[in-house]
Amino acid sequence: MTLPSDGPIPTGSLPGGSLPGGPIPGSTVPSGQLRTEPVLACAGVRRSFPVGERRLEILHGINLELRAGERLALMGTSGAGKTTLLHILGLLDRPTEGSVYVAGQDAWSLSARRRANLRNEKIGFVFQFYHLLPELSALENAVLPAMIKLSRRAFRSNRAEFLDRATTMLTRFGLADRLGHRPSQLSGGEQQRIAIARALLLDPPILIADEPTGNLDRGTGEKVLEILLDEQSERGVALMLVTHDERLAKRCERVLYMEDGLIQADSSAPIPT
Amino acid sequence: MFRTFLSLRYLKARKTNWIGMAGILVAVGALVLILSIMAGFLEESRRTLRGNLADLVIQPSFQSSVLQENGDWVPMQTDVERMLEIIREDPGVAAATPQLQWYGIFAPDGGESALEKPMQDAIQLIELVGIDVEGEGEATDFRESLETEFGKKPGLGKHCNVGRPADLDDPFVNLREIRQRRTRPKVPILVGEQLAYLWGLRRGQEVSLVTATYDENSSKLNETAANARFQVVGSFRSKDNETDSRRIYMDRRALADFLQRDRLWSAVLVKLNDYKRDKEAVRARLWSKLHAEGFLSAPGIRINEFRTWEDFRATLLAAIQNEKALMGIMLSLVLVVAGFTVFALLSMMVTEKRRDIGILCALGATPRGVLALFLMIGLWEAVIGSAFGALVGVLGAYNIDAIERKLSSTFGFQIFNRDIYLFDYIPAEVSVSGVAWIVGGAVFSTLLFAAIPAWRASRLDPVEALRHE
Ligand SMILES: Nc1ncnc2c1ncn2[C@@H]1O[C@H](COP(=O)(O)OP(=O)(O)OP(=O)(O)O)[C@@H](O)[C@H]1O
Ligand SMILES: [Mg+2]
């Protein structure tokens, strides 16, 4: 396993890469790779849902580390619990057991407000179904994270900067003449590109994408994917990507296989046959 | 930041929100309009109830002696000039005038009725009021009631032919001239408008009055002056229908002569500079002075010796006040309904916008931020709706009379029947504080109702919301 040459991977600023919660049991760190501080990690994550009178356990103890600038693919059969895991890693869902660390902080020991801030500043989401706000224009959707982050006054004084940043990004993505359009007036590919711009607006260190091309035809999906991967490597964002596409997985440094709520295999380890 | 931006965007983009706003507008507008008209009616009714009553009426009980505070009995004083002097000395008093009041009935040949069924055989008790014209004009609304053009009230004018007196300064003057010419003097009288109408009295017409007095020496009732003649010189219209249908004004001395009594007055009417502010203070001051000099009999202020005009109308005034309060409470229900509309619309919106709420959470919005977002939608609706509602209500209240006439002529029937009421226009009084209370209440109640769906929105599970497609 070698590091990709097209993306700068920052070396860890903290030695040892130890987490506040101590070393993660069973965590797999690729041998020969620098032990950089993980930007996103989880330890012993279990998640169960009440179904009728019983509880159905979907995740059975997941340990995972995502390092700065790393490109990681998560694969697995449908219903394996990939989306559930992503929601937990993205701090949208609380694990029944276990901890999630974002930028070294145990997210669920923080206040709801601090956790929301982490979500806002550290994590960018790209969903399968784009999830844009239908009442806002393309540009407004793209600057929404800044609006959420800043107070009215702070946003007003930085308005030009954010609009500029979003406009530049959307222009780069080929949406220069679509800035004022509503999502309903745009194609799926265009909407997903806006979603990518939105996810990257505040330059988060983590990008989480759940089947970002799952809803697009092959050609469009490929174009969107190029944009996503280009931005990722250029910015050095750590990307966690759920996909069913083997060819896409091959373009990632690390591939995790999930089955029945457990990570069965790590590409950094020998893939079981 | 996103709260303000998004709430305004949702408000603009989703026309259903305008229903809530319209609901608040209608509710606030109706409340302002109706309460203004109500206030106008009440104020007008108060004026009507007051009629020709003076601010204060001092009516001694005329006993032989008065118990002083030191336990001595002193003879009761009846010198009205001295009493007036004491009263007029008080800084709170604007004017004071004596009055003599008695009751009588028309003699059978009292008048020729304009009604189809004559009133000749009916007996009507008539209030005979002897006044000093000058003083009465200053202490009461007497002069105003003379100024009223007769027949302004629809349906009455063409039947009545009394007309108003020629000289406002001395309405009895006409007859004084007549009296000089004739051998047998007749007492000039001013007749209440309704009374004149019912009895078909004309200006210059002579009427007979019958009354009885009580002779203290023989303890007998004397029928007096059965053949005393009176002559109608004019009519008056006070704001009180009752007064207009049973009162006759004449010169105080003429009435005293007619009654053949040694007493020249029965009450003193007092007008205050500032009734609302001073009534209690002046009452207390005057009472102690007058009692000390032996004009009032009872120890302590006896209500029937010393009354404000409100004391005369206490029950009715209390009823009116009560009615206003009840009306306010009932109308507040309209606000509740408007608030409920907002509640329903916002609840719908929260359900519809589940996905958006999930997205906002994923982008880093706090539950509190989501709560504030939906509260703000309610707030805009309340503020905009009630501002326009207040505007509509106030404009409506100021122009209600014109609006009613327009509507009446458009639909061809009278919405506000001016014959039924005592006023020939629709009164409305806009109170700034009242409008402020209504707007404040509307905003408060809407926010209260909006809080429930807003709270629900903030409790939504973002994962649940995002899984939906
Ligand atoms: N709230 C819930 N209550 C009960 N079961 C749930 C709930 N959420 C998810 N599940 C179950 O958890 C399992 C994993 O779901 P998840 O969406 O994570 O799978 P996935 O790996 O993303 O599948 P796919 O590849 O089809 O997207 C599924 O069997 C799903 O039915
Ligand atoms: Mg999934």
Side-chain angles (χ1 to χ4, degrees):
Chain A
M1 180 93 200
T2 50
L3 292 173
S5 55
D6 57 341
I9 292 189
T11 50
S13 50
L14 291 173
S18 60
L19 291 162
I24 299 166
S27 71
T28 51
V29 179
S31 54
Q33 196 173 320
L34 263 172
R35 278 183 66 97
T36 51
E37 171 82 356
V39 284
L40 180 64
C42 69
V45 163
R46 291 169 181 274
R47 181 67 169 109
S48 57
F49 296 102
V51 175
E53 306 207 329
R54 301 186 308 131
R55 290 189 73 86
L56 181 65
E57 192 167 86
I58 303 299
L59 301 178
H60 306 291
I62 305 274
N63 303 310
L64 191 103
E65 285 185 3
L66 182 68
R67 291 174 186 284
E70 189 178 19
R71 189 186 283 177
L72 188 150
L74 183 62
M75 298 188 75
T77 49
S78 184
K82 303 182 295 294
T83 300
T84 307
L85 179 60
L86 284 200
H87 283 154
I88 285 174
L89 291 173
L91 309 183
L92 286 171
D93 195 14
R94 180 168 199 160
T96 320
E97 261 178 60
S99 312
V100 180
Y101 302 93
V102 175
Q105 283 174 294
D106 184 355
W108 289 97
S109 68
L110 301 174
S111 69
R113 184 177 187 83
R114 297 279 311 281
R115 198 160 48 245
N117 282 349
L118 278 185
R119 226 161 26 217
N120 180 242
E121 292 170 18
K122 303 288 184 208
I123 304 171
F125 271 105
V126 179
F127 301 97
Q128 180 178 354
F129 298 105
Y130 335 126
H131 284 333
L132 302 176
L133 296 195
E135 271 88 5
L136 305 192
S137 71
L139 189 59
E140 287 163 345
N141 262 298
V143 294
L144 196 54
M147 287 195 210
I148 290 173
K149 178 184 161 121
L150 299 173
S151 72
R152 191 160 355 149
R153 189 174 311 160
F155 182 77
R156 199 172 297 155
S157 54
N158 293 306
R159 196 164 174 270
E161 185 205 323
F162 283 114
L163 285 181
D164 195 49
R165 201 189 291 184
T167 309
T168 314
M169 226 180 327
L170 290 175
T171 308
R172 190 143 31 104
F173 297 173
L175 292 168
D177 51 354
R178 290 271 190 267
L179 298 181
H181 285 53
R182 295 281 162 90
S184 57
Q185 301 166 311
L186 298 170
S187 73
E190 287 164 335
Q191 288 188 54
Q192 195 61 304
R193 277 178 271 173
I194 295 164
I196 293 170
R198 179 179 71 185
L200 293 171
L201 182 84
L202 295 179
D203 266 329
I206 305 159
L207 195 57
I208 292 177
D210 191 359
E211 300 186 44
T213 58
N215 221 29
L216 302 172
D217 65 75
R218 200 179 181 90
T220 316
E222 226 119 80
K223 274 185 218 144
V224 168
L225 211 59
E226 283 319 311
I227 288 171
L228 183 66
L229 295 180
D230 281 355
E231 290 291 327
Q232 185 260 334
S233 53
E234 210 169 284
R235 290 164 189 265
V237 190
L239 172 66
M240 175 130 186
L241 178 77
V242 168
T243 182
H244 289 293
D245 187 348
E246 286 285 350
R247 292 181 311 142
L248 172 56
K250 285 209 175 69
R251 298 177 62 182
C252 297
E253 296 145 26
R254 237 170 107 203
V255 183
L256 301 182
Y257 288 94
M258 227 181 136
E259 215 171 87
D260 284 338
L262 275 174
I263 292 175
Q264 297 293 358
D266 194 324
S267 64
S268 51
I271 298 170
T273 45
Chain B
M1 155 67 200
F2 79 101
R3 293 174 284 269
T4 321
F5 174 76
L6 266 187
S7 60
L8 285 173
R9 178 58 59 91
Y10 280 155
L11 199 67
K12 212 175 87 184
R14 297 175 59 84
K15 304 283 184 276
T16 46
N17 282 320
W18 297 15
I19 299 174
M21 221 169 343
I24 296 169
L25 189 152
V26 169
V28 169
L31 259 175
V32 169
L33 183 63
I34 292 172
L35 284 183
S36 294
I37 293 176
M38 218 24 212
F41 260 84
L42 294 188
E43 196 51 45
E44 204 65 16
S45 306
R46 227 177 125 84
R47 240 171 266 155
T48 303
L49 275 181
R50 167 156 184 169
N52 278 15
L53 285 170
D55 288 346
L56 290 179
V57 178
I58 305 171
Q59 222 166 354
S61 55
F62 295 116
Q63 287 155 2
S64 55
S65 50
V66 175
L67 177 66
Q68 289 294 318
E69 251 145 43
N70 55 19
D72 293 347
W73 286 89
V74 299
M76 181 139 194
Q77 301 299 306
T78 55
D79 177 9
V80 75
E81 293 308 325
R82 172 67 192 136
M83 185 163 170
L84 287 172
E85 213 171 280
I86 298 172
I87 293 170
R88 284 173 185 149
E89 267 171 17
D90 192 282
V93 171
T97 186
Q99 214 180 52
L100 175 58
Q101 199 170 358
W102 201 247
Y103 290 91
I105 56 174
F106 276 134
D109 62 337
E112 17 179 291
S113 177
L115 296 173
E116 278 179 26
K117 195 169 188 296
M119 297 280 288
Q120 257 89 333
D121 49 351
I123 289 179
Q124 189 184 1
L125 193 65
I126 293 165
E127 213 176 31
L128 306 173
V129 181
I131 56 169
D132 295 354
V133 173
E134 198 51 44
E136 188 78 17
E138 280 164 17
T140 69
D141 294 339
F142 172 70
R143 210 183 298 280
E144 280 170 38
S145 64
L146 293 179
E147 279 167 2
T148 313
E149 196 69 50
F150 194 85
K152 217 176 138 194
K153 204 169 164 64
L156 210 55
K158 51 183 178 287
H159 296 296
C160 195
N161 31 29
V162 176
R164 67 186 176 118
D167 190 346
L168 285 178
D169 288 331
D170 189 354
F172 302 128
V173 77
N174 292 347
L175 227 67
R176 288 220 174 101
E177 287 164 13
I178 301 169
R179 187 160 43 172
Q180 278 163 7
R181 289 204 308 271
R182 298 228 178 161
T183 46
R184 196 167 152 223
K186 294 187 185 61
V187 180
I189 55 172
L190 294 168
V191 190
E193 186 182 89
Q194 305 273 336
L195 188 62
Y197 165 63
L198 284 174
W199 289 80
L201 300 178
R202 279 198 309 265
R203 189 169 189 174
Q205 186 171 348
E206 294 180 18
V207 293
S208 308
L209 286 165
V210 181
T211 188
T213 55
Y214 179 70
D215 187 339
E216 278 167 33
N217 299 325
S218 61
S219 299
K220 273 202 298 194
L221 277 176
N222 302 328
E223 189 186 313
T224 335
N227 48 3
R229 301 296 289 177
F230 299 83
Q231 190 162 25
V232 178
V233 287
S235 71
F236 66 88
R237 174 167 53 165
S238 70
K239 282 156 193 150
D240 179 17
N241 253 10
E242 278 289 281
T243 302
D244 294 354
S245 61
R246 64 172 193 210
R247 183 174 284 193
I248 287 179
Y249 280 117
M250 64 188 80
D251 189 71
R252 181 160 65 94
R253 271 155 222 290
L255 180 59
D257 289 347
F258 173 54
L259 298 175
Q260 294 166 353
R261 302 173 83 212
D262 51 357
R263 199 175 297 141
L264 284 171
W265 62 287
S266 56
V268 172
L269 312 187
V270 183
K271 187 188 182 73
L272 304 184
N273 291 320
D274 188 337
Y275 173 75
K276 254 194 186 134
R277 193 190 63 200
D278 295 342
K279 59 179 174 185
E280 290 309 325
V282 172
R283 185 141 84 147
R285 273 202 303 265
L286 285 184
W287 181 85
S288 60
K289 273 192 210 161
L290 291 173
H291 181 247
E293 294 216 10
F295 283 103
L296 296 176
S297 64
I301 301 175
R302 237 174 66 184
I303 193 96
N304 52 358
E305 280 199 316
F306 211 138
R307 283 185 271 192
T308 64
W309 75 266
E310 285 167 294
D311 294 333
F312 284 92
R313 306 289 197 222
T315 341
L316 275 172
L317 285 174
I320 284 178
Q321 204 54 44
N322 194 34
E323 198 173 320
K324 190 179 176 186
L326 274 177
M327 197 76 170
I329 291 170
M330 287 193 295
L331 283 172
S332 312
L333 289 179
V334 183
L335 276 187
V336 174
V337 172
F340 200 80
T341 313
V342 172
F343 166 78
L345 289 170
L346 267 187
S347 295
M348 237 168 67
M349 184 161 170
V350 168
T351 310
E352 265 176 62
K353 287 284 170 204
R354 280 176 60 153
R355 201 177 59 111
D356 289 26
I357 295 165
I359 295 168
L360 288 172
C361 284
L363 296 181
T366 55
R368 205 177 294 180
V370 172
L371 183 109
L373 166 64
F374 283 91
L375 263 189
M376 259 171 129
I377 296 173
L379 181 72
W380 295 134
E381 290 190 21
V383 167
I384 298 171
S386 54
F388 279 100
L391 191 72
V392 167
V394 169
L395 285 181
Y398 278 128
N399 299 304
I400 185 65
D401 212 47
I403 292 171
E404 189 273 339
R405 280 172 206 280
K406 183 91 195 147
L407 285 178
S408 289
S409 70
T410 310
F411 294 115
F413 69 93
Q414 265 214 313
I415 296 167
F416 178 82
N417 189 344
R418 288 171 174 76
D419 287 348
I420 300 177
Y421 295 94
L422 297 169
F423 2 100
D424 36 26
Y425 67 101
I426 307 177
E429 259 191 30
V430 177
S431 107
V432 176
S433 70
V435 173
W437 268 106
I438 292 168
V439 169
V443 171
F444 179 75
S445 111
T446 311
L447 278 186
L448 216 60
F449 274 105
I452 303 163
W455 186 79
R456 214 163 53 86
S458 75
R459 305 290 298 180
L460 268 187
D461 181 4
V463 171
E464 189 107 352
L466 285 174
R467 272 188 187 272
H468 279 253
E469 174 58 20

